Amino acid sequence: VNRARWGKRGGKKKIHDAVSFPLQKLDLTDFLERESKHTALFDLHACVVHHGRGIDTGHYTCLSKDPERQNTWLQFDDLKVKTVEKNVIKNAQAYLLFYNQL
């Protein structure tokens, strides 16, 4: 999903629509070749979030799984790192999503 669209006057506008995405078991098996006997399951590992009203302004942060603590998520915001709850990830205006294959 693209977070920007071109306006009628040529400028870009940020799309603020909510985008639903799974944290676990994103299943892309239906997109494999029909003959494939594999499954394509993925868990979310990290996402980049844009904060701000416009696409040319604002601030980016990163939400990422803590590699040392399985079900813990971290928010990286410049020099600040803090633990966040899963609902922060689910409600984020994700700009990029990074999944690991299971």
Side-chain angles (χ1 to χ4, degrees):
V1 174
N2 193 344
R3 279 274 177 214
R5 80 172 126 233
W6 290 98
K8 293 179 182 177
R9 297 186 179 148
K12 285 191 281 188
K13 291 185 144 193
K14 181 177 177 182
I15 300 170
H16 294 273
D17 296 349
V19 176
S20 177
F21 53 91
L23 298 183
Q24 296 178 310
K25 296 191 170 99
L26 170 64
D27 189 353
L28 299 178
T29 304
D30 289 344
F31 298 97
L32 296 176
E33 293 182 22
R34 290 185 185 151
E35 296 82 27
S36 176
K37 294 179 181 164
H38 300 285
T39 59
L41 294 175
F42 299 83
D43 280 352
L44 186 68
H45 177 74
C47 68
V48 175
V49 180
H50 180 261
H51 307 269
R53 294 182 57 190
I55 202 67
D56 294 328
T57 62
H59 182 67
Y60 291 91
T61 61
C62 180
L63 299 165
S64 178
K65 271 189 175 178
D66 185 330
E68 296 177 4
R69 295 180 287 166
Q70 283 294 326
N71 291 318
T72 303
W73 284 83
L74 302 171
Q75 180 183 45
F76 296 87
D77 185 353
D78 293 335
L79 297 175
K80 296 175 273 188
V81 179
K82 69 179 184 179
T83 303
V84 294
E85 299 295 324
K86 285 184 181 178
N87 67 329
V88 172
I89 292 98
K90 294 291 280 178
N91 295 321
Q93 286 194 6
Y95 184 71
L96 295 171
L97 299 169
F98 298 89
Y99 283 88
N100 286 333
Q101 189 169 11
L102 299 176

